[in-house]
Amino acid sequence: MYEERASRLPGAVVWTNTPSGTGDGRVLPDGCMDLLWHEGRLLIAGPDTRAYVTEGASGVWAGVRFYPGTAPALLGVPAHELRDRRVDLADLRPVADVRRLTARVNAAPTPQAGLEDIALRWAGESDPPDPLPARIVTALNAGRPVAATADELGLNPRQLHRRSLAAFGYGPKTLARILRLRRALALARTGVPYADTATRAGYADQAHLARDVRDLTGLSLSRLLAGHG
């Protein structure tokens, strides 16, 4: 069972998931990075370019999902170094610090409460967030072309690509594609017909939507909506 709520950290989401059964789970790409807790360990989930298959990992998972582009500043690591990876927090932070943080989470009323406290502390110790990543997300999520987004933000295409790699883990074209997928899934889950979903989300047609969903998630849209992902 999956549950989530808005975090006290602006833009972030606190979640918990207890997989049911022994089948594989599927985490869809969303442009985000997560601080994770699982069986007493702290990990970082980097930005995914395709669905991440959990391969039947059992037990309770908890996490803080950071707003796209915000986690690298808190971790001190560019997002592209963690692309399509799950790594122990101890690979990024001093081992002694991670031991203290792990003990704090394990002693918290719930793992997600402990994770949220860590995220808030990291944010309080960091410089104010760079507004550029959020502006990139807003423009691309509105369906603006990459070239127009660069012009709007006062960047040339190479600068936009470099800034996107550091903030999101991939270039603006990939980010735009992932955000479009999220828009399409949100529409389809409310019962919007697939053809209308494709048009409203920014695809050329329903066939384009079908190809993109399968390429990014490994499943057809109907299977995703049926709960197989």
Side-chain angles (χ1 to χ4, degrees):
M1 182 176 67
Y2 176 84
E3 295 179 337
E4 68 174 41
R5 64 170 174 81
S7 171
R8 288 175 287 152
L9 180 66
V13 171
V14 179
W15 58 267
T16 182
N17 186 36
T18 305
S20 57
T22 58
D24 293 342
R26 196 172 299 265
V27 180
L28 303 185
D30 56 9
C32 300
M33 295 172 59
D34 293 57
L35 170 63
L36 306 174
W37 176 93
H38 180 60
E39 296 183 343
R41 294 171 56 213
L42 296 181
L43 307 98
I44 296 293
D48 295 319
T49 56
R50 297 288 188 277
Y52 178 81
V53 179
T54 59
E55 299 180 345
S58 60
V60 176
W61 289 79
V64 174
R65 182 175 304 116
F66 298 99
Y67 188 79
T70 59
L74 304 182
L75 295 169
V77 178
H80 63 83
E81 292 189 9
L82 300 176
R83 181 174 54 233
D84 294 321
R85 297 177 62 198
R86 304 296 188 268
V87 301
D88 283 315
L89 184 60
D91 292 339
L92 306 176
R93 296 252 173 164
V95 173
D97 291 347
V98 174
R99 286 197 187 112
R100 284 194 296 272
L101 294 175
T102 303
R104 188 177 303 155
V105 173
N106 291 337
T110 62
Q112 55 268 38
L115 293 173
E116 186 176 27
D117 286 343
I118 291 174
L120 289 165
R121 178 174 299 224
W122 284 351
E125 295 170 349
S126 302
D127 293 333
D130 180 357
L132 182 63
R135 294 177 65 194
I136 294 172
V137 170
T138 298
L140 295 178
N141 201 33
R144 295 217 195 356
V146 170
T149 297
D151 288 342
E152 184 178 304
L153 299 178
L155 303 172
N156 63 45
R158 183 170 295 180
Q159 289 171 324
L160 177 60
H161 187 82
R162 185 172 63 249
R163 296 294 295 272
S164 295
L165 280 179
F168 310 112
Y170 26 67
K173 289 184 179 179
T174 299
L175 177 61
R177 192 178 176 211
I178 288 170
L179 294 174
R180 183 177 60 187
L181 170 71
R182 306 301 296 188
R183 295 196 302 273
L185 292 178
L187 288 166
R189 283 171 177 149
T190 65
V192 176
Y194 291 177
D196 292 342
T197 290
T199 299
R200 290 169 60 179
Y203 292 91
D205 51 31
Q206 186 175 333
H208 183 200
L209 166 65
R211 288 193 303 272
D212 222 40
V213 169
R214 185 173 290 279
D215 187 42
L216 290 173
T217 73
L219 295 175
S220 67
L221 181 55
S222 60
R223 283 178 62 80
L224 275 178
L225 297 181
H228 294 282

